Amino acid sequence: MEPEFWHKRWSSNQIGFHLPEVNPYLQRFWSQLGVEQGSRVLVPLCGKTLDLLWLAQQGYSVLGVELSEKAAADFFLEHQLEPSVSEEGAFKVFRAGDIEIRCGDFFALDAADVADCAALYDRAALIALPGAMRERYAAHLQKILPECVGLLITLDYNQDEMPGPPFSVGDDEVQRLLGGGWRLEVLQEQDVLGESWKFLQAGVKRLEERVYRVSRRT
């Protein structure tokens, strides 16, 4: 999963992971987290998700982190937003209103970059990464994030039946990766195989989606 993999996916518009709507779990469960309006929300590996706009419309300041500059530019273009663009350390930063997208390597993000983040939203970051990188990702979140609360959405299926991404991340792995530094609560768990043609075509026989409430232990 070198950066070139994702750059090629974006340049060739192979972005089946991009949802053309706001994630329904975000809409259903976000209000239960009790995040104060005006708080900053970290959205790792954000792509051009409509979830960024939805969070901003709910009164939050949004910090997306994305490898692809094309994804960031497309986001602002598609929503008729004209961002300021600057180079800040390891990142090219796009800003418009309450939405900021930092383009670059997520692992270059440091504690100062996220010091004012009170919430985390991960729909497509953990499941986008192969095993070794998931280990790094979880450790990096643990290292840089202050006390915060958030949502984590995962997929669970037999990885032998289809290669990722998105990768299968079962509950046991979530507990192993995050259980030491986060409080974890499963808010919803459901079989979504019937609505997932890519997985059906690949011959996957079981596909479960889980939504976690996560809160950072300090």
Side-chain angles (χ1 to χ4, degrees):
M1 305 302 294
E2 295 300 320
E4 189 60 27
F5 172 87
W6 293 109
H7 289 309
K8 286 182 178 178
R9 291 287 292 267
W10 280 100
S11 65
S12 60
N13 205 38
Q14 293 182 301
I15 52 171
F17 48 84
H18 173 71
L19 295 181
E21 60 188 15
V22 177
N23 187 277
Y25 297 128
L26 175 64
Q27 295 175 300
R28 186 178 312 156
F29 293 117
W30 189 260
S31 62
Q32 297 182 19
L33 302 182
V35 182
E36 292 186 10
Q37 285 193 336
S39 298
R40 200 174 199 203
V41 182
L42 175 64
V43 186
L45 283 60
C46 62
K48 60 174 185 177
T49 177
L50 299 179
D51 299 345
L52 301 174
L53 191 63
W54 185 87
L55 285 164
Q57 290 170 341
Q58 308 312 303
Y60 297 99
S61 171
V62 184
L63 172 60
V65 183
E66 169 56 39
L67 185 64
S68 169
E69 288 186 24
K70 184 179 187 303
D74 285 354
F75 172 83
F76 290 103
L77 180 64
E78 290 170 12
H79 297 295
Q80 292 82 52
L81 298 171
E82 294 206 14
S84 65
V85 182
S86 60
E87 299 283 346
E88 299 183 18
F91 295 93
K92 187 170 185 177
V93 183
F94 295 72
R95 288 190 183 92
D98 290 323
I99 300 174
E100 172 182 327
I101 299 180
R102 292 188 166 236
C103 290
D105 182 356
F106 174 80
F107 296 107
L109 207 64
D110 62 30
D113 295 322
V114 298
D116 56 351
C117 288
L120 169 72
Y121 174 59
D122 178 343
R123 180 196 78 81
L126 188 66
I127 62 174
L129 302 172
M133 291 189 75
R134 291 197 292 272
E135 299 272 357
R136 282 188 66 200
Y137 172 77
H140 197 60
L141 285 180
Q142 178 87 350
K143 178 181 177 182
I144 66 173
L145 272 179
E147 181 175 337
C148 65
V149 66
L151 291 179
L152 167 66
I153 301 170
T154 64
L155 292 174
D156 185 359
Y157 63 96
N158 184 347
Q159 192 74 83
D160 292 336
E161 295 173 343
M162 192 186 85
F167 293 97
S168 175
V169 185
D171 183 62
D172 57 345
E173 183 174 358
V174 172
Q175 298 292 337
R176 180 177 61 80
L177 290 176
L178 299 175
W182 301 77
R183 294 182 180 87
L184 304 171
E185 176 190 355
V186 177
L187 299 177
Q188 186 163 328
E189 182 176 16
Q190 66 179 28
D191 179 357
V192 294
L193 182 59
E195 57 197 69
S196 305
W197 65 268
K198 173 183 176 180
F199 289 86
L200 285 168
Q201 286 188 330
V204 172
K205 299 178 181 62
R206 175 185 63 86
L207 179 63
E208 295 174 353
E209 206 162 33
R210 289 191 188 90
V211 185
Y212 295 84
R213 181 187 192 277
V214 299
S215 54
R216 177 84 164 82
R217 300 175 189 266
T218 55

mmCIF file of all heavy atoms in Angstrom, residues 69-105:
data_model
loop_
_atom_site.group_PDB
_atom_site.id
_atom_site.type_symbol
_atom_site.label_atom_id
_atom_site.label_comp_id
_atom_site.label_asym_id
_atom_site.label_seq_id
_atom_site.Cartn_x
_atom_site.Cartn_y
_atom_site.Cartn_z
ATOM 1 N N GLU A 69 -3.798 15.035 -3.360
ATOM 2 C CA GLU A 69 -4.190 16.425 -3.591
ATOM 3 C C GLU A 69 -5.392 16.501 -4.521
ATOM 4 O O GLU A 69 -6.227 17.413 -4.389
ATOM 5 C CB GLU A 69 -3.025 17.209 -4.189
ATOM 6 C CG GLU A 69 -1.904 17.489 -3.212
ATOM 7 C CD GLU A 69 -0.828 18.393 -3.804
ATOM 8 O OE1 GLU A 69 -1.136 19.150 -4.757
ATOM 9 O OE2 GLU A 69 0.308 18.335 -3.314
ATOM 10 N N LYS A 70 -5.507 15.554 -5.443
ATOM 11 C CA LYS A 70 -6.660 15.548 -6.344
ATOM 12 C C LYS A 70 -7.959 15.378 -5.558
ATOM 13 O O LYS A 70 -8.965 16.037 -5.849
ATOM 14 C CB LYS A 70 -6.537 14.420 -7.374
ATOM 15 C CG LYS A 70 -7.676 14.415 -8.403
ATOM 16 C CD LYS A 70 -7.503 13.305 -9.419
ATOM 17 C CE LYS A 70 -8.546 13.405 -10.531
ATOM 18 N NZ LYS A 70 -9.940 13.375 -10.041
ATOM 19 N N ALA A 71 -7.942 14.505 -4.577
ATOM 20 C CA ALA A 71 -9.136 14.295 -3.752
ATOM 21 C C ALA A 71 -9.538 15.587 -3.046
ATOM 22 O O ALA A 71 -10.715 15.963 -3.025
ATOM 23 C CB ALA A 71 -8.889 13.192 -2.738
ATOM 24 N N ALA A 72 -8.557 16.267 -2.469
ATOM 25 C CA ALA A 72 -8.844 17.518 -1.759
ATOM 26 C C ALA A 72 -9.360 18.586 -2.715
ATOM 27 O O ALA A 72 -10.369 19.260 -2.444
ATOM 28 C CB ALA A 72 -7.593 18.005 -1.042
ATOM 29 N N ALA A 73 -8.678 18.755 -3.839
ATOM 30 C CA ALA A 73 -9.102 19.765 -4.812
ATOM 31 C C ALA A 73 -10.500 19.469 -5.330
ATOM 32 O O ALA A 73 -11.332 20.379 -5.478
ATOM 33 C CB ALA A 73 -8.100 19.828 -5.958
ATOM 34 N N ASP A 74 -10.787 18.186 -5.599
ATOM 35 C CA ASP A 74 -12.116 17.803 -6.086
ATOM 36 C C ASP A 74 -13.193 18.100 -5.055
ATOM 37 O O ASP A 74 -14.305 18.523 -5.402
ATOM 38 C CB ASP A 74 -12.148 16.316 -6.441
ATOM 39 C CG ASP A 74 -11.439 15.997 -7.744
ATOM 40 O OD1 ASP A 74 -11.016 16.951 -8.444
ATOM 41 O OD2 ASP A 74 -11.297 14.801 -8.074
ATOM 42 N N PHE A 75 -12.877 17.876 -3.788
ATOM 43 C CA PHE A 75 -13.865 18.153 -2.743
ATOM 44 C C PHE A 75 -14.313 19.614 -2.792
ATOM 45 O O PHE A 75 -15.508 19.912 -2.825
ATOM 46 C CB PHE A 75 -13.295 17.828 -1.352
ATOM 47 C CG PHE A 75 -14.191 18.283 -0.236
ATOM 48 C CD1 PHE A 75 -15.256 17.510 0.182
ATOM 49 C CD2 PHE A 75 -13.988 19.521 0.382
ATOM 50 C CE1 PHE A 75 -16.108 17.948 1.190
ATOM 51 C CE2 PHE A 75 -14.832 19.956 1.396
ATOM 52 C CZ PHE A 75 -15.891 19.162 1.799
ATOM 53 N N PHE A 76 -13.366 20.529 -2.777
ATOM 54 C CA PHE A 76 -13.714 21.947 -2.759
ATOM 55 C C PHE A 76 -14.376 22.368 -4.073
ATOM 56 O O PHE A 76 -15.332 23.158 -4.063
ATOM 57 C CB PHE A 76 -12.470 22.783 -2.465
ATOM 58 C CG PHE A 76 -11.978 22.622 -1.046
ATOM 59 C CD1 PHE A 76 -10.871 21.833 -0.767
ATOM 60 C CD2 PHE A 76 -12.635 23.237 -0.001
ATOM 61 C CE1 PHE A 76 -10.420 21.674 0.533
ATOM 62 C CE2 PHE A 76 -12.189 23.076 1.312
ATOM 63 C CZ PHE A 76 -11.088 22.292 1.579
ATOM 64 N N LEU A 77 -13.913 21.840 -5.181
ATOM 65 C CA LEU A 77 -14.500 22.174 -6.477
ATOM 66 C C LEU A 77 -15.950 21.715 -6.564
ATOM 67 O O LEU A 77 -16.832 22.472 -7.007
ATOM 68 C CB LEU A 77 -13.677 21.521 -7.597
ATOM 69 C CG LEU A 77 -14.148 21.762 -9.031
ATOM 70 C CD1 LEU A 77 -14.035 23.246 -9.383
ATOM 71 C CD2 LEU A 77 -13.345 20.913 -10.009
ATOM 72 N N GLU A 78 -16.208 20.500 -6.132
ATOM 73 C CA GLU A 78 -17.555 19.933 -6.241
ATOM 74 C C GLU A 78 -18.558 20.622 -5.333
ATOM 75 O O GLU A 78 -19.773 20.553 -5.579
ATOM 76 C CB GLU A 78 -17.499 18.435 -5.951
ATOM 77 C CG GLU A 78 -16.789 17.657 -7.055
ATOM 78 C CD GLU A 78 -16.509 16.206 -6.703
ATOM 79 O OE1 GLU A 78 -17.068 15.731 -5.679
ATOM 80 O OE2 GLU A 78 -15.749 15.545 -7.433
ATOM 81 N N HIS A 79 -18.070 21.304 -4.302
ATOM 82 C CA HIS A 79 -18.986 22.013 -3.397
ATOM 83 C C HIS A 79 -18.908 23.528 -3.568
ATOM 84 O O HIS A 79 -19.375 24.278 -2.708
ATOM 85 C CB HIS A 79 -18.687 21.602 -1.950
ATOM 86 C CG HIS A 79 -18.916 20.145 -1.702
ATOM 87 N ND1 HIS A 79 -20.159 19.562 -1.781
ATOM 88 C CD2 HIS A 79 -18.048 19.143 -1.423
ATOM 89 C CE1 HIS A 79 -20.057 18.263 -1.542
ATOM 90 N NE2 HIS A 79 -18.778 17.995 -1.329
ATOM 91 N N GLN A 80 -18.330 23.944 -4.707
ATOM 92 C CA GLN A 80 -18.230 25.368 -5.041
ATOM 93 C C GLN A 80 -17.599 26.184 -3.910
ATOM 94 O O GLN A 80 -18.053 27.281 -3.572
ATOM 95 C CB GLN A 80 -19.605 25.955 -5.404
ATOM 96 C CG GLN A 80 -20.214 25.438 -6.694
ATOM 97 C CD GLN A 80 -20.907 24.099 -6.525
ATOM 98 O OE1 GLN A 80 -21.736 23.950 -5.645
ATOM 99 N NE2 GLN A 80 -20.581 23.135 -7.367
ATOM 100 N N LEU A 81 -16.558 25.632 -3.332
ATOM 101 C CA LEU A 81 -15.811 26.317 -2.282
ATOM 102 C C LEU A 81 -14.437 26.693 -2.824
ATOM 103 O O LEU A 81 -13.803 25.888 -3.506
ATOM 104 C CB LEU A 81 -15.651 25.411 -1.052
ATOM 105 C CG LEU A 81 -16.939 24.968 -0.354
ATOM 106 C CD1 LEU A 81 -16.639 23.902 0.693
ATOM 107 C CD2 LEU A 81 -17.640 26.161 0.297
ATOM 108 N N GLU A 82 -13.989 27.899 -2.540
ATOM 109 C CA GLU A 82 -12.674 28.339 -3.005
ATOM 110 C C GLU A 82 -11.714 28.359 -1.824
ATOM 111 O O GLU A 82 -11.743 29.280 -0.999
ATOM 112 C CB GLU A 82 -12.775 29.723 -3.640
ATOM 113 C CG GLU A 82 -13.596 29.718 -4.913
ATOM 114 C CD GLU A 82 -13.225 30.843 -5.855
ATOM 115 O OE1 GLU A 82 -12.160 31.462 -5.657
ATOM 116 O OE2 GLU A 82 -13.999 31.091 -6.767
ATOM 117 N N PRO A 83 -10.866 27.360 -1.719
ATOM 118 C CA PRO A 83 -9.988 27.274 -0.559
ATOM 119 C C PRO A 83 -8.736 28.130 -0.720
ATOM 120 O O PRO A 83 -8.271 28.388 -1.830
ATOM 121 C CB PRO A 83 -9.602 25.798 -0.531
ATOM 122 C CG PRO A 83 -9.580 25.413 -1.980
ATOM 123 C CD PRO A 83 -10.710 26.198 -2.622
ATOM 124 N N SER A 84 -8.210 28.549 0.412
ATOM 125 C CA SER A 84 -6.836 29.060 0.414
ATOM 126 C C SER A 84 -5.933 27.847 0.419
ATOM 127 O O SER A 84 -6.296 26.783 0.936
ATOM 128 C CB SER A 84 -6.587 29.930 1.644
ATOM 129 O OG SER A 84 -6.681 29.150 2.826
ATOM 130 N N VAL A 85 -4.753 27.963 -0.182
ATOM 131 C CA VAL A 85 -3.827 26.842 -0.263
ATOM 132 C C VAL A 85 -2.463 27.309 0.225
ATOM 133 O O VAL A 85 -1.962 28.355 -0.202
ATOM 134 C CB VAL A 85 -3.715 26.305 -1.706
ATOM 135 C CG1 VAL A 85 -2.786 25.099 -1.749
ATOM 136 C CG2 VAL A 85 -5.087 25.928 -2.256
ATOM 137 N N SER A 86 -1.891 26.552 1.148
ATOM 138 C CA SER A 86 -0.591 26.928 1.701
ATOM 139 C C SER A 86 0.245 25.688 1.958
ATOM 140 O O SER A 86 -0.280 24.579 2.047
ATOM 141 C CB SER A 86 -0.764 27.726 3.003
ATOM 142 O OG SER A 86 -1.459 26.951 3.972
ATOM 143 N N GLU A 87 1.543 25.882 2.065
ATOM 144 C CA GLU A 87 2.454 24.805 2.437
ATOM 145 C C GLU A 87 2.804 24.980 3.909
ATOM 146 O O GLU A 87 3.290 26.036 4.322
ATOM 147 C CB GLU A 87 3.729 24.866 1.592
ATOM 148 C CG GLU A 87 3.500 24.713 0.097
ATOM 149 C CD GLU A 87 3.237 23.273 -0.330
ATOM 150 O OE1 GLU A 87 3.496 22.357 0.496
ATOM 151 O OE2 GLU A 87 2.778 23.074 -1.459
ATOM 152 N N GLU A 88 2.514 23.968 4.709
ATOM 153 C CA GLU A 88 2.785 24.038 6.142
ATOM 154 C C GLU A 88 3.491 22.756 6.570
ATOM 155 O O GLU A 88 2.857 21.711 6.710
ATOM 156 C CB GLU A 88 1.486 24.248 6.928
ATOM 157 C CG GLU A 88 0.767 25.541 6.558
ATOM 158 C CD GLU A 88 -0.483 25.787 7.381
ATOM 159 O OE1 GLU A 88 -0.622 25.161 8.459
ATOM 160 O OE2 GLU A 88 -1.317 26.605 6.942
ATOM 161 N N GLY A 89 4.793 22.854 6.754
ATOM 162 C CA GLY A 89 5.563 21.677 7.133
ATOM 163 C C GLY A 89 5.490 20.611 6.056
ATOM 164 O O GLY A 89 5.755 20.868 4.882
ATOM 165 N N ALA A 90 5.069 19.420 6.448
ATOM 166 C CA ALA A 90 5.005 18.299 5.515
ATOM 167 C C ALA A 90 3.715 18.268 4.708
ATOM 168 O O ALA A 90 3.517 17.354 3.902
ATOM 169 C CB ALA A 90 5.146 16.992 6.299
ATOM 170 N N PHE A 91 2.853 19.258 4.893
ATOM 171 C CA PHE A 91 1.525 19.212 4.289
ATOM 172 C C PHE A 91 1.242 20.393 3.367
ATOM 173 O O PHE A 91 1.704 21.512 3.604
ATOM 174 C CB PHE A 91 0.447 19.186 5.385
ATOM 175 C CG PHE A 91 0.480 17.954 6.235
ATOM 176 C CD1 PHE A 91 1.192 17.936 7.428
ATOM 177 C CD2 PHE A 91 -0.178 16.802 5.840
ATOM 178 C CE1 PHE A 91 1.236 16.794 8.219
ATOM 179 C CE2 PHE A 91 -0.140 15.655 6.618
ATOM 180 C CZ PHE A 91 0.563 15.651 7.808
ATOM 181 N N LYS A 92 0.443 20.119 2.338
ATOM 182 C CA LYS A 92 -0.187 21.157 1.546
ATOM 183 C C LYS A 92 -1.591 21.307 2.109
ATOM 184 O O LYS A 92 -2.346 20.331 2.170
ATOM 185 C CB LYS A 92 -0.241 20.770 0.063
ATOM 186 C CG LYS A 92 -0.738 21.889 -0.837
ATOM 187 C CD LYS A 92 -0.528 21.512 -2.308
ATOM 188 C CE LYS A 92 -0.905 22.658 -3.225
ATOM 189 N NZ LYS A 92 -0.638 22.310 -4.666
ATOM 190 N N VAL A 93 -1.947 22.499 2.534
ATOM 191 C CA VAL A 93 -3.164 22.690 3.311
ATOM 192 C C VAL A 93 -4.194 23.485 2.513
ATOM 193 O O VAL A 93 -3.916 24.589 2.032
ATOM 194 C CB VAL A 93 -2.857 23.411 4.638
ATOM 195 C CG1 VAL A 93 -4.126 23.550 5.470
ATOM 196 C CG2 VAL A 93 -1.787 22.644 5.424
ATOM 197 N N PHE A 94 -5.394 22.902 2.389
ATOM 198 C CA PHE A 94 -6.534 23.546 1.745
ATOM 199 C C PHE A 94 -7.511 23.974 2.838
ATOM 200 O O PHE A 94 -7.894 23.144 3.673
ATOM 201 C CB PHE A 94 -7.238 22.577 0.793
ATOM 202 C CG PHE A 94 -6.431 22.145 -0.390
ATOM 203 C CD1 PHE A 94 -5.359 21.265 -0.256
ATOM 204 C CD2 PHE A 94 -6.743 22.593 -1.671
ATOM 205 C CE1 PHE A 94 -4.611 20.845 -1.343
ATOM 206 C CE2 PHE A 94 -6.013 22.182 -2.781
ATOM 207 C CZ PHE A 94 -4.944 21.313 -2.616
ATOM 208 N N ARG A 95 -7.943 25.229 2.822
ATOM 209 C CA ARG A 95 -8.892 25.713 3.833
ATOM 210 C C ARG A 95 -10.002 26.531 3.186
ATOM 211 O O ARG A 95 -9.745 27.376 2.322
ATOM 212 C CB ARG A 95 -8.202 26.612 4.853
ATOM 213 C CG ARG A 95 -7.272 25.940 5.826
ATOM 214 C CD ARG A 95 -6.854 26.902 6.934
ATOM 215 N NE ARG A 95 -5.900 26.314 7.857
ATOM 216 C CZ ARG A 95 -4.585 26.408 7.727
ATOM 217 N NH1 ARG A 95 -4.066 27.063 6.683
ATOM 218 N NH2 ARG A 95 -3.780 25.854 8.616
ATOM 219 N N ALA A 96 -11.222 26.265 3.633
ATOM 220 C CA ALA A 96 -12.369 27.087 3.245
ATOM 221 C C ALA A 96 -13.394 26.983 4.358
ATOM 222 O O ALA A 96 -13.840 25.880 4.702
ATOM 223 C CB ALA A 96 -12.966 26.626 1.923
ATOM 224 N N GLY A 97 -13.763 28.113 4.937
ATOM 225 C CA GLY A 97 -14.721 28.098 6.030
ATOM 226 C C GLY A 97 -14.233 27.252 7.188
ATOM 227 O O GLY A 97 -13.094 27.395 7.645
ATOM 228 N N ASP A 98 -15.071 26.317 7.627
ATOM 229 C CA ASP A 98 -14.731 25.474 8.773
ATOM 230 C C ASP A 98 -14.095 24.155 8.361
ATOM 231 O O ASP A 98 -13.964 23.246 9.188
ATOM 232 C CB ASP A 98 -15.992 25.189 9.600
ATOM 233 C CG ASP A 98 -16.495 26.429 10.326
ATOM 234 O OD1 ASP A 98 -15.655 27.217 10.783
ATOM 235 O OD2 ASP A 98 -17.725 26.605 10.412
ATOM 236 N N ILE A 99 -13.691 24.045 7.097
ATOM 237 C CA ILE A 99 -13.124 22.787 6.614
ATOM 238 C C ILE A 99 -11.673 22.989 6.195
ATOM 239 O O ILE A 99 -11.352 23.883 5.411
ATOM 240 C CB ILE A 99 -13.929 22.235 5.426
ATOM 241 C CG1 ILE A 99 -15.385 21.972 5.852
ATOM 242 C CG2 ILE A 99 -13.291 20.945 4.904
ATOM 243 C CD1 ILE A 99 -16.281 21.556 4.710
ATOM 244 N N GLU A 100 -10.818 22.155 6.731
ATOM 245 C CA GLU A 100 -9.398 22.150 6.382
ATOM 246 C C GLU A 100 -9.008 20.731 5.988
ATOM 247 O O GLU A 100 -9.365 19.777 6.683
ATOM 248 C CB GLU A 100 -8.561 22.611 7.571
ATOM 249 C CG GLU A 100 -7.064 22.478 7.393
ATOM 250 C CD GLU A 100 -6.292 22.900 8.641
ATOM 251 O OE1 GLU A 100 -6.753 23.808 9.357
ATOM 252 O OE2 GLU A 100 -5.229 22.304 8.889
ATOM 253 N N ILE A 101 -8.323 20.600 4.861
ATOM 254 C CA ILE A 101 -7.779 19.297 4.461
ATOM 255 C C ILE A 101 -6.268 19.433 4.334
ATOM 256 O O ILE A 101 -5.771 20.278 3.583
ATOM 257 C CB ILE A 101 -8.381 18.795 3.138
ATOM 258 C CG1 ILE A 101 -9.897 18.608 3.267
ATOM 259 C CG2 ILE A 101 -7.728 17.466 2.739
ATOM 260 C CD1 ILE A 101 -10.575 18.116 1.995
ATOM 261 N N ARG A 102 -5.568 18.606 5.078
ATOM 262 C CA ARG A 102 -4.098 18.573 5.010
ATOM 263 C C ARG A 102 -3.693 17.420 4.112
ATOM 264 O O ARG A 102 -4.002 16.261 4.402
ATOM 265 C CB ARG A 102 -3.495 18.407 6.399
ATOM 266 C CG ARG A 102 -3.716 19.625 7.269
ATOM 267 C CD ARG A 102 -2.971 19.563 8.592
ATOM 268 N NE ARG A 102 -2.974 20.899 9.188
ATOM 269 C CZ ARG A 102 -1.901 21.576 9.541
ATOM 270 N NH1 ARG A 102 -0.703 21.046 9.382
ATOM 271 N NH2 ARG A 102 -2.004 22.792 10.051
ATOM 272 N N CYS A 103 -3.011 17.738 3.034
ATOM 273 C CA CYS A 103 -2.584 16.718 2.073
ATOM 274 C C CYS A 103 -1.148 16.305 2.356
ATOM 275 O O CYS A 103 -0.244 17.147 2.364
ATOM 276 C CB CYS A 103 -2.690 17.256 0.649
ATOM 277 S SG CYS A 103 -4.381 17.469 0.113
ATOM 278 N N GLY A 104 -0.977 15.025 2.571
ATOM 279 C CA GLY A 104 0.345 14.503 2.864
ATOM 280 C C GLY A 104 0.235 13.188 3.599
ATOM 281 O O GLY A 104 -0.839 12.584 3.690
ATOM 282 N N ASP A 105 1.331 12.740 4.141
ATOM 283 C CA ASP A 105 1.422 11.464 4.851
ATOM 284 C C ASP A 105 0.801 11.605 6.238
ATOM 285 O O ASP A 105 1.253 12.406 7.059
ATOM 286 C CB ASP A 105 2.894 11.068 4.962
ATOM 287 C CG ASP A 105 3.102 9.725 5.635
ATOM 288 O OD1 ASP A 105 2.128 9.109 6.097
ATOM 289 O OD2 ASP A 105 4.274 9.294 5.709
#
